[in-house]
Amino acid sequence: MSKTYTGSCLCQAVKFDINGEFEQFFLCHCQYCQKDTGSAHAANLFSSSASLVWRQGQGMITTFHLPGTRHVKSFCHICGSALPNLQMEGQLLAVPAGSLDEPLEVKPNAHLFGSSSAAWYKELAELPIFKTFPQ
């Protein structure tokens, strides 16, 4: 039986379902992903067989394709949250891991574009971890 994942944007204007399984989960450190996430990497799930069903707010979605590249990002035009999109002429579904509403049971398969990693990323495992804001 196929799994159904639910997801949404931060402001809840956009909601969606993913029906099926993910084949790959990559953390991409390319400069494009650093720019569009504002962080060290993007965390995206990929499927060539799962289907995407928009439950709400499809008209609130903006999709940006960086000219001359394969880089595509869809996002809520109200809150800016990253959202799923179809790539490679609809053959590949890309889903930002953080857009899903339930915890993932899968772990990333690999880091991509490691040669582009932010210099400060390499030592993050050594930093203290707080449950909330530090006191």
Side-chain angles (χ1 to χ4, degrees):
M1 179 151 179
S2 179
K3 170 94 171 133
T4 296
Y5 299 88
T6 62
S8 60
C9 66
L10 182 62
C11 72
Q12 300 295 301
V14 179
K15 295 184 179 185
F16 61 89
D17 290 334
I18 305 294
N19 299 307
E21 299 298 332
F22 298 109
E23 288 112 27
Q24 301 290 334
F25 183 5
F26 293 127
L27 304 179
C28 184
H29 296 264
C30 79
Q31 292 176 341
Y32 304 144
C33 286
Q34 288 179 41
K35 286 284 187 189
D36 78 21
T37 64
S39 189
H41 60 75
N44 288 307
L45 299 143
F46 295 92
S47 180
S48 60
S49 60
S51 62
L52 168 63
V53 177
W54 297 109
R55 290 189 292 125
Q56 175 181 307
Q58 189 172 4
M60 306 291 188
I61 301 167
T62 298
T63 298
F64 173 74
H65 184 172
L66 186 62
T69 73
R70 291 178 43 192
H71 190 80
V72 178
K73 179 178 182 172
S74 293
F75 56 95
C76 172
H77 75 244
I78 296 171
C79 66
S81 296
L83 293 166
N85 62 71
L86 290 170
Q87 300 179 7
M88 298 173 58
E89 299 178 4
Q91 298 301 306
L92 185 66
L93 174 62
V95 180
S99 69
L100 297 177
D101 291 337
E102 63 265 352
L104 278 171
E105 296 177 8
V106 297
K107 292 185 165 99
N109 298 93
H111 292 267
L112 304 178
F113 294 92
S115 61
S116 300
S117 292
W120 51 268
Y121 176 79
K122 294 168 182 59
E123 298 173 11
L124 291 182
E126 299 170 18
L127 295 176
I129 298 174
F130 298 96
K131 289 183 181 181
T132 62
F133 286 110
Q135 299 300 316

